[in-house]
Amino acid sequence: MSYYLGLLQLIGVHTLLGLSAYVLMLTGQLSLGQAGFFAIGAYSAGILTVIFELPILPALLAGALIAAFFAFLVGFPALRVKGLMLVVATIAFSEFVRLFFFNLSWRVPRGDIHVGPDSTNGFREIRYFVANGWSAWEITTFVWIFVILVMAALWWMDRSRAGAVLRAVGEDELAAQSAGINLTAVKVTAMTAGGFIAGIGGALYAHTATYVDHLTFTVLLATFAISYPILGGLSSVFGTLVAVIFIQGVLVEGLRFLGDWRNIVFGLLIIAAMNLKPSGLFDARTTLLLRRSVGLGGRE
Amino acid sequence: MGDFWFEFVEITQTIGDGLFFGATYSLIGIGFTLIFGAMHKLNMTYAAASLAGAYVGLAAFTFVNAPALVVFLISALASGLIGLVVYVACFRFIPVNNHLAALMASIGALFFIDEIVVHTTDGSPLTFPAMFEYVMLEVGPWGLRGDLLFVLAVSVASTVGLLYVLYRSRLGLATRAVSQQDVAARLCGIDVHRTNATTFVLAGLLGGVAGAMTAAAVGVLSPLVTVPLTVKGLIVTVIGGLGSIPGAIVAGLLVGGLENVFLYFRGVNERDMYVLLLLFVFLVFRPHGIFGSAIDRD
């Protein structure tokens, strides 16, 4: 049972990661920097609960805010460039953050051991949940409360004026600008919101895994982050959730019998999916077919 | 004076070595820029394919004891072939205006190639043969490493070869035509897909040489190099200006030289952080890169 709860927690954390990329993709920006914000959230929240002995909730919020702050900072220079240049800039940011934590050593004595990030050896003692006697059920519920909050917020935003503005920028920047939308403000806001969501995800990840090191936050993780909304499509937040369940639940767990060969298959699957369904597995046409087949009518 | 002089020699030596080694970054950067120029797309697989080519060359050395020149040739050919496969798998059948899908597919191919390399080598680094005896030329107080000199010579030769193909052959004319206006090129009877495929093979040949040279200069070939080399190649491309070949050359040397300065002052663990910061400095002050001002496109 705890295995499935662990999987459920992982799906929750990855949904947050995917949603952080989803917000940005609504404005037409593709970022491979989400792994960096995720890492900042993970390390900051971990340091706050372990070294400063804060409770989980303020630590988590602080972690998310710190990640959002860095997303805001990265937003300005990075958004001066568009499209593929932004991809390069955000990969560079992500790698920079990874190398920063690769070098970070901040050990403080706690009883007869030392705790804190230990550069290459990783950050091993993020044991807030265990120390406070949380059960696996409680941890899973805690994770999913945040997933549901974020999904609800984004779902509501999508139906408000803000969602229309984001999508307008994503559809056609020039037209959006002509309609009086401040492009820089919109893009930097989306970047900051994305950083905040990734930060929550990272903070939750660090505490559920109890251990993080720089190898957790590679380009592979950043690729996962953008592959969820790309596969799930941008029509709603649920696409991302379905894509996470599909990739983490079905592919990664289902292909476990392949052992080490699993990653090779993962690469091939991405190539195949992009050739067969370049606009995402759940593009407008497929979504329509799905809706009809479950009797939701042919709206859209 | 003694201390200062010693330090001065030491630093200039470091920068010099870096400039020479930077030639390999230039080659990788040229590959990225070539494909971007032709298709306005990023081929994330490029550095991985270059290193995979070097692995094939290494296999030729290990199993049939091929001489240095043949190892380089085989690396180049293998990488060119991989380039062709990557083009067909990740670019040929994906709609031209869908940049994201092609990008994702090439990231998929990056992981695929990387995993194959990890599997065939059990993930452990392999020693790449030193292609030459250790030669050290003495120039006053400075030394010139023979292998780095060779790296520079090969880079210059392959760049000249590439420029010759691009500006003096019909093939190059077609490549440039497609990169400027693919509809017009099509109307003139140029087969766009074949031209793009040729560009990928050309870039691949160059990448194979770069991969083998990097391996020869460093002495080991390891799957751990793939992502850093990809990132550095991309940085060189952006700093030089997307689509600019002279830009990629200058930026490659710049990154190589500065990298060694960072190495000298801050050590190997922090070196790459400063290289990445360099990219942000350029994004803030010169977002179109050194030679990119003429090109103002997405």
Side-chain angles (χ1 to χ4, degrees), chain A residues 130-144:
Chain A
V130 184
N132 288 281
W134 290 43
S135 72
W137 274 108
E138 285 166 330
I139 299 172
T140 312
T141 315
F142 187 72
V143 169
W144 275 87

PDB file of all heavy atoms in Angstrom, chain A residues 130-144:
ATOM      1  N   VAL A 130       8.770  12.379   9.091  1.00  0.00           N
ATOM      2  CA  VAL A 130       9.083  11.232   9.945  1.00  0.00           C
ATOM      3  C   VAL A 130       9.220  11.684  11.402  1.00  0.00           C
ATOM      4  O   VAL A 130       8.647  11.087  12.314  1.00  0.00           O
ATOM      5  CB  VAL A 130      10.396  10.562   9.491  1.00  0.00           C
ATOM      6  CG1 VAL A 130      10.673   9.311  10.308  1.00  0.00           C
ATOM      7  CG2 VAL A 130      10.334  10.246   8.004  1.00  0.00           C
ATOM      8  N   ALA A 131       9.957  12.787  11.605  1.00  0.00           N
ATOM      9  CA  ALA A 131      10.216  13.276  12.962  1.00  0.00           C
ATOM     10  C   ALA A 131       8.920  13.667  13.675  1.00  0.00           C
ATOM     11  O   ALA A 131       8.820  13.577  14.891  1.00  0.00           O
ATOM     12  CB  ALA A 131      11.173  14.463  12.905  1.00  0.00           C
ATOM     13  N   ASN A 132       7.927  14.116  12.887  1.00  0.00           N
ATOM     14  CA  ASN A 132       6.674  14.529  13.506  1.00  0.00           C
ATOM     15  C   ASN A 132       5.601  13.456  13.437  1.00  0.00           C
ATOM     16  O   ASN A 132       4.422  13.733  13.678  1.00  0.00           O
ATOM     17  CB  ASN A 132       6.176  15.815  12.867  1.00  0.00           C
ATOM     18  CG  ASN A 132       7.049  16.984  13.300  1.00  0.00           C
ATOM     19  OD1 ASN A 132       6.914  17.515  14.384  1.00  0.00           O
ATOM     20  ND2 ASN A 132       7.998  17.339  12.439  1.00  0.00           N
ATOM     21  N   GLY A 133       5.993  12.249  13.055  1.00  0.00           N
ATOM     22  CA  GLY A 133       5.080  11.119  13.089  1.00  0.00           C
ATOM     23  C   GLY A 133       3.914  11.180  12.116  1.00  0.00           C
ATOM     24  O   GLY A 133       2.821  10.717  12.413  1.00  0.00           O
ATOM     25  N   TRP A 134       4.122  11.771  10.922  1.00  0.00           N
ATOM     26  CA  TRP A 134       3.056  11.772   9.927  1.00  0.00           C
ATOM     27  C   TRP A 134       2.968  10.392   9.291  1.00  0.00           C
ATOM     28  O   TRP A 134       3.973   9.778   8.981  1.00  0.00           O
ATOM     29  CB  TRP A 134       3.344  12.786   8.819  1.00  0.00           C
ATOM     30  CG  TRP A 134       3.244  14.220   9.252  1.00  0.00           C
ATOM     31  CD1 TRP A 134       3.722  14.774  10.392  1.00  0.00           C
ATOM     32  CD2 TRP A 134       2.645  15.282   8.497  1.00  0.00           C
ATOM     33  NE1 TRP A 134       3.452  16.118  10.413  1.00  0.00           N
ATOM     34  CE2 TRP A 134       2.797  16.457   9.266  1.00  0.00           C
ATOM     35  CE3 TRP A 134       2.005  15.356   7.261  1.00  0.00           C
ATOM     36  CZ2 TRP A 134       2.322  17.691   8.828  1.00  0.00           C
ATOM     37  CZ3 TRP A 134       1.538  16.580   6.824  1.00  0.00           C
ATOM     38  CH2 TRP A 134       1.686  17.737   7.606  1.00  0.00           C
ATOM     39  N   SER A 135       1.757   9.922   9.058  1.00  0.00           N
ATOM     40  CA  SER A 135       1.617   8.649   8.357  1.00  0.00           C
ATOM     41  C   SER A 135       1.646   8.915   6.855  1.00  0.00           C
ATOM     42  O   SER A 135       1.500  10.046   6.399  1.00  0.00           O
ATOM     43  CB  SER A 135       0.284   7.998   8.719  1.00  0.00           C
ATOM     44  OG  SER A 135      -0.775   8.707   8.114  1.00  0.00           O
ATOM     45  N   ALA A 136       1.847   7.831   6.082  1.00  0.00           N
ATOM     46  CA  ALA A 136       1.912   7.963   4.622  1.00  0.00           C
ATOM     47  C   ALA A 136       0.628   8.572   4.081  1.00  0.00           C
ATOM     48  O   ALA A 136       0.646   9.376   3.146  1.00  0.00           O
ATOM     49  CB  ALA A 136       2.177   6.606   3.993  1.00  0.00           C
ATOM     50  N   TRP A 137      -0.504   8.205   4.702  1.00  0.00           N
ATOM     51  CA  TRP A 137      -1.798   8.750   4.270  1.00  0.00           C
ATOM     52  C   TRP A 137      -1.848  10.257   4.435  1.00  0.00           C
ATOM     53  O   TRP A 137      -2.282  10.990   3.552  1.00  0.00           O
ATOM     54  CB  TRP A 137      -2.944   8.132   5.086  1.00  0.00           C
ATOM     55  CG  TRP A 137      -3.427   6.854   4.510  1.00  0.00           C
ATOM     56  CD1 TRP A 137      -3.220   5.615   5.031  1.00  0.00           C
ATOM     57  CD2 TRP A 137      -4.205   6.683   3.321  1.00  0.00           C
ATOM     58  NE1 TRP A 137      -3.796   4.672   4.224  1.00  0.00           N
ATOM     59  CE2 TRP A 137      -4.421   5.303   3.164  1.00  0.00           C
ATOM     60  CE3 TRP A 137      -4.715   7.565   2.363  1.00  0.00           C
ATOM     61  CZ2 TRP A 137      -5.136   4.776   2.098  1.00  0.00           C
ATOM     62  CZ3 TRP A 137      -5.434   7.051   1.303  1.00  0.00           C
ATOM     63  CH2 TRP A 137      -5.635   5.669   1.183  1.00  0.00           C
ATOM     64  N   GLU A 138      -1.368  10.686   5.621  1.00  0.00           N
ATOM     65  CA  GLU A 138      -1.404  12.125   5.909  1.00  0.00           C
ATOM     66  C   GLU A 138      -0.506  12.901   4.949  1.00  0.00           C
ATOM     67  O   GLU A 138      -0.887  13.971   4.460  1.00  0.00           O
ATOM     68  CB  GLU A 138      -0.972  12.376   7.361  1.00  0.00           C
ATOM     69  CG  GLU A 138      -2.051  12.003   8.355  1.00  0.00           C
ATOM     70  CD  GLU A 138      -1.533  11.917   9.778  1.00  0.00           C
ATOM     71  OE1 GLU A 138      -0.338  11.590   9.967  1.00  0.00           O
ATOM     72  OE2 GLU A 138      -2.315  12.165  10.694  1.00  0.00           O
ATOM     73  N   ILE A 139       0.675  12.326   4.654  1.00  0.00           N
ATOM     74  CA  ILE A 139       1.596  13.007   3.734  1.00  0.00           C
ATOM     75  C   ILE A 139       0.953  13.123   2.360  1.00  0.00           C
ATOM     76  O   ILE A 139       0.961  14.184   1.731  1.00  0.00           O
ATOM     77  CB  ILE A 139       2.936  12.248   3.643  1.00  0.00           C
ATOM     78  CG1 ILE A 139       3.612  12.178   5.016  1.00  0.00           C
ATOM     79  CG2 ILE A 139       3.864  12.914   2.644  1.00  0.00           C
ATOM     80  CD1 ILE A 139       4.833  11.286   5.052  1.00  0.00           C
ATOM     81  N   THR A 140       0.361  12.000   1.892  1.00  0.00           N
ATOM     82  CA  THR A 140      -0.271  12.001   0.568  1.00  0.00           C
ATOM     83  C   THR A 140      -1.386  13.039   0.504  1.00  0.00           C
ATOM     84  O   THR A 140      -1.494  13.795  -0.469  1.00  0.00           O
ATOM     85  CB  THR A 140      -0.831  10.603   0.260  1.00  0.00           C
ATOM     86  OG1 THR A 140       0.180   9.645   0.552  1.00  0.00           O
ATOM     87  CG2 THR A 140      -1.227  10.492  -1.199  1.00  0.00           C
ATOM     88  N   THR A 141      -2.207  13.084   1.568  1.00  0.00           N
ATOM     89  CA  THR A 141      -3.297  14.068   1.592  1.00  0.00           C
ATOM     90  C   THR A 141      -2.734  15.476   1.536  1.00  0.00           C
ATOM     91  O   THR A 141      -3.224  16.332   0.790  1.00  0.00           O
ATOM     92  CB  THR A 141      -4.126  13.899   2.884  1.00  0.00           C
ATOM     93  OG1 THR A 141      -4.359  12.509   3.087  1.00  0.00           O
ATOM     94  CG2 THR A 141      -5.441  14.635   2.783  1.00  0.00           C
ATOM     95  N   PHE A 142      -1.665  15.703   2.333  1.00  0.00           N
ATOM     96  CA  PHE A 142      -1.029  17.021   2.372  1.00  0.00           C
ATOM     97  C   PHE A 142      -0.578  17.446   0.969  1.00  0.00           C
ATOM     98  O   PHE A 142      -0.849  18.554   0.518  1.00  0.00           O
ATOM     99  CB  PHE A 142       0.165  16.953   3.341  1.00  0.00           C
ATOM    100  CG  PHE A 142       0.814  18.272   3.610  1.00  0.00           C
ATOM    101  CD1 PHE A 142       0.182  19.223   4.391  1.00  0.00           C
ATOM    102  CD2 PHE A 142       2.075  18.555   3.097  1.00  0.00           C
ATOM    103  CE1 PHE A 142       0.785  20.444   4.650  1.00  0.00           C
ATOM    104  CE2 PHE A 142       2.683  19.772   3.358  1.00  0.00           C
ATOM    105  CZ  PHE A 142       2.036  20.716   4.135  1.00  0.00           C
ATOM    106  N   VAL A 143       0.099  16.508   0.259  1.00  0.00           N
ATOM    107  CA  VAL A 143       0.576  16.815  -1.092  1.00  0.00           C
ATOM    108  C   VAL A 143      -0.591  17.167  -2.003  1.00  0.00           C
ATOM    109  O   VAL A 143      -0.575  18.178  -2.710  1.00  0.00           O
ATOM    110  CB  VAL A 143       1.363  15.618  -1.672  1.00  0.00           C
ATOM    111  CG1 VAL A 143       1.630  15.810  -3.161  1.00  0.00           C
ATOM    112  CG2 VAL A 143       2.674  15.426  -0.926  1.00  0.00           C
ATOM    113  N   TRP A 144      -1.645  16.350  -1.930  1.00  0.00           N
ATOM    114  CA  TRP A 144      -2.746  16.535  -2.879  1.00  0.00           C
ATOM    115  C   TRP A 144      -3.591  17.763  -2.564  1.00  0.00           C
ATOM    116  O   TRP A 144      -4.245  18.296  -3.452  1.00  0.00           O
ATOM    117  CB  TRP A 144      -3.578  15.261  -3.000  1.00  0.00           C
ATOM    118  CG  TRP A 144      -2.914  14.375  -3.999  1.00  0.00           C
ATOM    119  CD1 TRP A 144      -1.929  13.476  -3.749  1.00  0.00           C
ATOM    120  CD2 TRP A 144      -3.111  14.389  -5.415  1.00  0.00           C
ATOM    121  NE1 TRP A 144      -1.501  12.912  -4.921  1.00  0.00           N
ATOM    122  CE2 TRP A 144      -2.216  13.446  -5.953  1.00  0.00           C
ATOM    123  CE3 TRP A 144      -3.947  15.106  -6.277  1.00  0.00           C
ATOM    124  CZ2 TRP A 144      -2.140  13.203  -7.330  1.00  0.00           C
ATOM    125  CZ3 TRP A 144      -3.874  14.854  -7.640  1.00  0.00           C
ATOM    126  CH2 TRP A 144      -2.983  13.921  -8.152  1.00  0.00           C
TER     127      TRP A 144
END
